[in-house]
C-alpha cells in the first residue's frame, strides 16, 4: 500500500512538472517561432534531472545505502559545486568599481569599470566589470591585486555605443570621477568598437581596405587609413573604420555602422570627423 501511495505522488509530480510549463506556453500570445522555447528547455532539463535522480536512487537501493546517507552525499556535493561557482565569481569590495590599470604599447591606461572593456591578458580574453561575466571580473581582480597593480595586455576592446548611457549617467552625477573631464558623449553613439591591438594580425584594416564593392571610399593605406562603405545611389553611409599605429607595435582602430540609421543624413566627411572626435574623447579618458 505504501509503495502504491509513493508511486501515485511521483506520477502526480511528474505530470505537474510537464503540465504547468505547457499551460504557461498556451497562455502566451503567439508571435515568433521561438515562443515558449525557454519553457521547453526548462522542462527538458527538469525531466533529465528527474531521470538522473531516479537512476541515482535505484543504484543506491541496489547497493543498500540508507536514504539518509545518500541525501547527505548529494547535498554535500551540491554545496561544494555551488560554493566553487560562487567563489569563482566573488569580487572583493576593494576591487568593485575600480578602474583597471593596463600596460599596452608601453603606455599605462586606466580603464573605468563603467566601460566594461574586454582585455587580452595572459593569453586569455576577459571582461572587466561586466555583470554578466563575474568570473572574468574576479579573475582580473586577482591578477591585478584588486586593481592596484598594472597588468600587461596585448589587446583592448570597448563597445562605446553599448556603454555610452552608463558613462554619461556617471559623469552627470553630483560627484563624477576625474576621467569625466575628458569624456564627451556627443559622437560616442557613432562607434561600435574602439580597439587597441597588435598589428601582427592585419585583421580589420585589411578587411575594410579590401572591401569588394564599387561603393568604397578609401584614404591612406593598410597601415594608417580610413575606409567607408556607402550607397552611391542614396549617398547613405553604411559602415566605416579608421585605423592608425599606436606606439611602436600596436594599432588603434575605431569602427562604426549605420544599422540603426544614427547618421543617415551625414556625409562621409561628417561621419569621419565624428568618429575622430569620439576616438579622441575615449583615448583621452583612458589616458587620464
Amino acid at each position: 500500500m505504501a509503495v502504491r501511495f509513493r508511486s501515485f505522488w511521483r506520477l502526480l509530480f511528474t505530470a505537474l512538472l510537464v503540465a504547468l510549463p505547457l499551460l504557461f506556453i498556451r497562455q502566451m500570445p503567439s508571435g515568433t517561432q521561438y515562443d515558449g522555447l525557454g519553457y521547453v528547455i526548462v522542462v527538458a532539463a527538469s525531466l533529465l534531472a528527474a531521470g538522473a535522480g531516479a537512476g541515482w536512487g535505484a543504484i543506491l537501493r541496489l547497493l543498500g545505502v540508507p536514504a539518509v546517507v545518500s541525501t547527505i552525499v548529494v547535498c554535500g556535493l551540491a554545496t561544494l559545486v555551488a560554493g566553487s561557482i560562487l567563489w569563482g565569481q566573488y569580487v572583493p569590495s576593494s576591487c568593485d568599481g575600480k578602474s583597471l590599470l593596463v600596460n599596452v604599447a608601453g603606455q599605462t591606461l586606466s580603464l573605468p569599470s563603467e566601460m566594461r572593456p574586454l582585455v587580452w591578458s595572459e593569453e586569455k580574453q576577459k571582461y572587466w566589470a561586466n555583470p554578466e561575466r563575474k568570473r572574468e571580473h574576479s579573475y582580473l581582480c586577482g591578477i591585478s591585486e584588486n586593481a592596484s597593480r598594472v597588468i600587461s595586455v596585448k589587446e583592448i576592446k570597448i563597445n562605446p555605443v553599448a556603454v555610452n548611457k552608463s558613462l554619461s549617467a556617471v559623469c552627470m552625477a553630483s560627484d563624477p570621477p576625474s576621467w569625466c573631464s575628458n569624456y564627451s558623449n556627443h559622437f560616442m553613439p557613432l562607434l561600435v568598437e574602439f580597439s587597441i591591438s597588435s598589428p601582427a594580425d592585419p585583421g580589420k584594416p585589411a578587411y575594410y581596405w579590401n572591401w569588394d564593392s564599387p561603393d568604397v571610399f578609401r584614404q591612406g593605406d593598410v597601415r594608417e587609413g580610413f575606409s567607408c562603405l556607402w550607397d552611391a545611389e542614396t549617398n547613405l553611409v553604411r559602415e566605416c573604420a579608421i585605423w592608425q599605429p599606436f606606439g611602436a607595435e600596436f594599432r588603434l582602430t575605431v569602427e562604426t555602422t549605420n544599422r540603426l540609421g544614427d547618421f543617415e543624413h551625414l556625409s562621409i566627411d561628417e561621419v569621419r570627423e565624428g568618429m575622430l572626435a569620439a576616438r579622441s574623447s575615449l583615448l583621452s579618458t583612458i589616458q587620464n
Side-chain angles (χ1 to χ4, degrees), residues 151-256:
I151 62 172
S152 295
V153 300
K154 64 179 184 180
E155 186 173 11
I156 298 170
K157 288 184 180 179
I158 299 171
N159 186 344
V161 68
V163 298
N164 181 51
K165 288 185 178 180
S166 61
L167 291 175
S168 299
V170 169
C171 291
M172 291 175 63
S174 57
D175 186 22
S178 60
W179 56 261
C180 284
S181 61
N182 295 316
Y183 182 78
S184 171
N185 65 358
H186 185 58
F187 292 103
M188 215 55 67
L190 286 178
L191 301 186
V192 295
E193 186 169 288
F194 170 100
S195 64
I196 299 175
S197 57
S198 170
D201 175 14
K204 291 176 179 176
Y207 161 74
Y208 285 115
W209 190 257
N210 296 315
W211 261 326
D212 186 16
S213 171
D215 299 333
V216 178
F217 178 86
R218 298 184 179 92
Q219 284 183 343
D221 52 36
V222 177
R223 181 177 181 275
E224 181 174 0
F226 168 67
S227 183
C228 232
L229 184 64
W230 64 300
D231 190 324
E233 294 184 2
T234 62
N235 203 31
L236 178 66
V237 179
R238 293 167 53 190
E239 195 172 353
C240 300
I242 303 175
W243 56 92
Q244 69 175 54
F246 185 79
E249 300 178 354
F250 285 76
R251 180 181 59 240
L252 171 61
T253 307
V254 289
E255 305 166 52
T256 187

Side-chain angles (χ1 to χ4, degrees), residues 40-86:
V40 174
I41 293 174
V42 170
V43 170
S46 300
L47 290 175
L48 286 174
W56 173 260
I59 293 173
L60 292 177
R61 284 195 296 273
L62 288 175
L63 296 176
V65 178
V68 174
V69 175
S70 65
T71 301
I72 293 174
V73 171
V74 170
C75 290
L77 289 174
T79 301
L80 287 175
V81 172
S84 174
I85 293 174
L86 291 174

Side-chain angles (χ1 to χ4, degrees), residues 21-175:
L22 292 179
L23 179 62
F24 285 126
I25 293 172
R26 290 181 61 86
Q27 296 299 319
M28 292 175 63
S30 58
T32 68
Q33 58 179 324
Y34 301 107
D35 283 346
L37 180 60
Y39 291 109
V40 174
I41 293 174
V42 170
V43 170
S46 300
L47 290 175
L48 286 174
W56 173 260
I59 293 173
L60 292 177
R61 284 195 296 273
L62 288 175
L63 296 176
V65 178
V68 174
V69 175
S70 65
T71 301
I72 293 174
V73 171
V74 170
C75 290
L77 289 174
T79 301
L80 287 175
V81 172
S84 174
I85 293 174
L86 291 174
W87 180 253
Q89 297 180 353
Y90 173 67
V91 176
S93 59
S94 57
C95 186
D96 190 29
K98 291 281 192 70
S99 294
L100 181 66
L101 301 174
V102 300
N103 181 280
V104 57
Q107 295 189 36
T108 298
L109 305 178
S110 177
L111 306 177
S113 59
E114 291 82 3
M115 285 188 178
R116 301 179 186 177
L118 175 67
V119 300
W120 190 306
S121 175
E122 298 183 354
E123 303 303 321
K124 297 178 181 179
Q125 284 187 319
K126 302 289 183 181
Y127 278 96
W128 176 252
N130 189 323
E132 298 179 0
R133 304 291 187 94
K134 291 183 179 179
R135 181 176 288 273
E136 297 178 13
H137 189 186
S138 177
Y139 171 83
L140 290 173
C141 283
I143 65 172
S144 67
E145 297 178 6
N146 293 335
S148 65
R149 184 175 68 86
V150 178
I151 62 172
S152 295
V153 300
K154 64 179 184 180
E155 186 173 11
I156 298 170
K157 288 184 180 179
I158 299 171
N159 186 344
V161 68
V163 298
N164 181 51
K165 288 185 178 180
S166 61
L167 291 175
S168 299
V170 169
C171 291
M172 291 175 63
S174 57
D175 186 22

